[in-house]
Amino acid sequence: MSIVHSASCRTVVRLEGGSKTMALLRSGRNRYGSSPGPDDYSGGRRAQYASFSTSFDEFGPPYANLPMEILVKIFTYLTPADRREASLTCRRWFEASHHPAFLETFWLVLQRQPFDVNTPPVRDFLHSFRRFPNIHLAEVDFERIGTFFNQFGPHVRRIVFQACEVQERDLTAILRCLPALHSLSIESCRDLFMCVPLFEDETERAELRQTLVTVKDLSLTYNQYLSDAILHRMVSVLPSLRALNLSGCSISFHKGLYRKFYPGDGKQPSASVLTFHYISQLIDERKGALRALNFSETLVDDNALEVLAGMSPDLRLERLELNRCEQLSSRGLGTLLTTQADSMQHLDLSKTFRLTDSCLLQICRELKGLRVLKMRNCRALSNQGVRELVQLPVLETLDISYCEEVNGEGILEGIASRPNATLRELRLRALNICERSIIAITERLSGLRVLDLGYCFHAVSDLCVQFIFRHLVHLTELDLESCRNLSDGGLTGLGMLPNIQRYEQEQQPRQQETAQQEKLAPERSVIGDGQVEQPVRPDPSPEPPVASPVRISLRSRAEQEIVEDAQRKRQLLEAMQQKDDAQSQRPNDALCSGYSLGRLRQLRVLNLTGCNRLTDVSLLYNLRLVELRNLYLAQCQQISLDGIRALVQGCPSIERLDLSECHSINDRAVELIASHLHRLRALSLRRCYQLTDFSLDYIACHGRRLRELDVRGCKHMCPDPAMRLVSLPLLTTILPGKQDETTTAGGGGGSLGGLISGGSFATSPPPPPPPRLTMRI
């Protein structure tokens, strides 16, 4: 969506998503039917325009005065980020964006802030008329709570405490004010669980039990001091609990500890340790209502899962997450899945290294209602198990990344063997697949919205990308990280049409042979003494050999690649000029265009990190993705100012941009980025050696919404860029300095990594603690 503001609160809002395209054209036009330009607001032009302000409605309908029902209906087609931008247009649209139908997407985030009602920003919120249904508190020090939660607590549905310094009395006071709470998350709050008498007062627990009757989800992740007694008291105040998350907690599964910490019958909770012995008792008490369990990153073993399996049929799990549980094997998991076959919908077994094909075969044959399956980095899986994935009829999300034994044969005989319009998300990262398997995926899986092919070095080619652009036009996320065979021809389609036609002609005999075999399979004729009749294959006509001239090059391999890239770029630029020339009605057949990246109009996330053969041509040619939010171009060293100029014009909605190690980027490019990408919230310029302090000045003048900035390794910048960026109140994370020269040896590139992409890309060494600045929403 693109939004253009004007003085009269009129806006251009363009929605492009597949077949749904809607435009609200700005009604502010002059007498000649054209919109006022920048020069119209200066001098006499401004006075002339002001003379028509009183009768502005004569030039078009006032879209700001549409009925609220119509505005709300229009805003339902927008993403939360687009609604936020539209709300800045006028007060009427601001009221529509805060309709109760959209409140579920609003989050109030306080990060590294003292929570004090006598100081900003908490003091300022006390005068706000907004409601905050979701509150995230990260590294917050609670000093004076005051009446904040008395005012906003009745509307809070989800609250998260992450690494906060909160005491038992403050937590109790907050929870008392949350009668509509549905989800409670307490993560890495060490001081809170070091307090042994947490919720020890029976009167307080009875009061909280009546207040928190609507809480269904409880998450206590990464709390090392959580004990059986504290867990017992917390669960006792949540009578409607349906989901329990204990990932990353120090849970003891060894039965030898029971005698030491459980005197007598062993039913009393221990105040010293957290054991699965008591957790299983809590699950047994709530088994009729529990629907989700998460024991990720714990030492859960086969015996523990067999205990859970013994609670059936009352225990009916819909969601089970066992990510990075290295003690599990197919025995315990198979026993549990047999008892939960009718209800299981979400299963996460990533990094469970001991799982084999037998476990995956059982999943595919028994869990017919499974919608989400994640087996990332399960190294023991092979094609034998992956072939059976086609038996899951309602599967929507599949992640089998980093499974080293899986190759293109398993994909072709499995999920890509028949048409499937149900699968929405497919992640095949770092698999040893082939080009033909990727093309089969694009032809058979027409409903894909997310496709991850990162680190598929040899499989992803220009031809594969052309088929992606041809068939998967509804993609919202495309990951092609480190696919080094990808070039400008694949992204632009220039000169690719002959290659597509040649591939289709080569595949026609194979498709006809397959169709003939399928047709004759039910009625296979037997001739002679039991021999099966084989179809007659025509012998291919031999092609005359073509004599090629002998050429000897004295260049090195690196020099030859540079020369070839320069020639390819020059040819593509000539083809682009020839195609755009209005006088040329028919371009040369050798330069016929295939399919360009611009066909993916719904694309929001694009990762091209490490595709170092890409140049400015990819950005100059038909790149208009108004829905694009996250763009990663790290290590694309041939992108320069011309490409950045086209990028900021064609993709105005970018919020996260990674240009790490793009050595051709200069200060002028940073000025274009800061002045034109008004939604930019995270920017990485790591190891861009041409940048100077002028880039920081441009960011300080224009980057009003910037939250995260990475300028490590920029040699010509000052060592403390925060001093030049004091005018940006929302900038909470700055990664400065020149120390990156010694720490990037094993960093694996310059992508934003954990800083921006949530750890899905290559991570860098831990950054220094960011400065303590203001809050962000």
Side-chain angles (χ1 to χ4, degrees), residues 725-741:
L725 302 173
V726 294
S727 61
L728 302 181
L730 298 179
L731 187 59
T732 59
T733 303
I734 304 176
L735 301 182
K738 304 177 181 179
Q739 74 279 6
D740 187 65
E741 296 302 317

Side-chain angles (χ1 to χ4, degrees), residues 10 49-60:
R10 306 302 172 100
Y49 180 75
S51 64
F52 292 103
S53 60
T54 56
S55 58
F56 190 79
D57 291 344
E58 297 179 3
F59 301 97

Side-chain angles (χ1 to χ4, degrees), residues 608-628:
L608 298 174
T609 299
C611 300
N612 51 13
R613 297 179 62 185
L614 300 181
T615 66
D616 293 331
V617 177
S618 297
L619 303 180
L620 289 169
Y621 182 78
N622 198 22
L623 183 67
R624 182 169 179 79
L625 302 174
V626 295
E627 295 290 338
L628 191 64

Side-chain angles (χ1 to χ4, degrees), residues 690-737:
Q690 295 190 33
L691 301 185
T692 65
D693 290 338
F694 286 105
S695 296
L696 297 178
D697 296 337
Y698 295 141
I699 294 174
C701 294
H702 304 287
R704 295 298 178 182
R705 298 190 184 183
L706 197 64
R707 308 288 179 85
E708 299 167 353
L709 177 64
D710 186 356
V711 291
R712 289 175 293 175
C714 297
K715 300 178 180 180
H716 302 291
M717 284 187 180
C718 61
D720 189 9
M723 299 299 297
R724 288 179 173 267
L725 302 173
V726 294
S727 61
L728 302 181
L730 298 179
L731 187 59
T732 59
T733 303
I734 304 176
L735 301 182

Side-chain angles (χ1 to χ4, degrees), residues 239-365:
S240 304
L241 189 63
R242 294 175 57 88
L244 179 62
N245 185 355
L246 297 175
S247 62
C249 295
S250 299
I251 304 176
S252 175
F253 293 88
H254 199 280
K255 295 183 179 180
L257 294 176
Y258 297 163
R259 297 180 181 178
K260 181 176 181 181
F261 294 100
Y262 287 88
D265 55 359
K267 295 183 178 180
Q268 297 299 323
S270 172
S272 304
V273 294
L274 178 64
T275 64
F276 185 77
H277 174 74
Y278 189 74
I279 294 175
S280 61
Q281 294 182 16
L282 292 179
I283 296 176
D284 191 36
E285 295 174 359
R286 304 291 186 92
K287 59 185 178 182
L290 276 177
R291 293 294 179 266
L293 291 176
N294 189 344
F295 289 106
S296 299
E297 300 186 36
T298 63
L299 299 178
V300 59
D301 54 8
D302 295 334
N303 296 328
L305 295 189
E306 290 176 353
V307 172
L308 296 178
M311 300 179 187
S312 62
D314 296 333
L315 182 63
R316 297 176 57 84
L317 295 178
E318 298 177 358
R319 184 186 184 103
L320 179 62
E321 299 185 40
L322 301 172
N323 186 4
R324 202 173 180 180
C325 296
E326 301 178 357
Q327 303 297 323
L328 283 181
S329 66
S330 301
R331 176 178 62 87
L333 185 61
T335 304
L336 178 61
L337 294 180
T338 301
T339 62
Q340 307 297 322
D342 297 334
S343 58
M344 189 66 65
Q345 298 182 9
H346 184 114
L347 185 60
D348 187 357
L349 303 174
S350 301
K351 297 183 181 180
T352 308
F353 303 124
R354 299 173 62 184
L355 295 184
T356 60
D357 289 329
S358 60
C359 180
L360 183 55
L361 290 174
Q362 181 182 1
I363 292 174
C364 297
R365 294 171 182 175

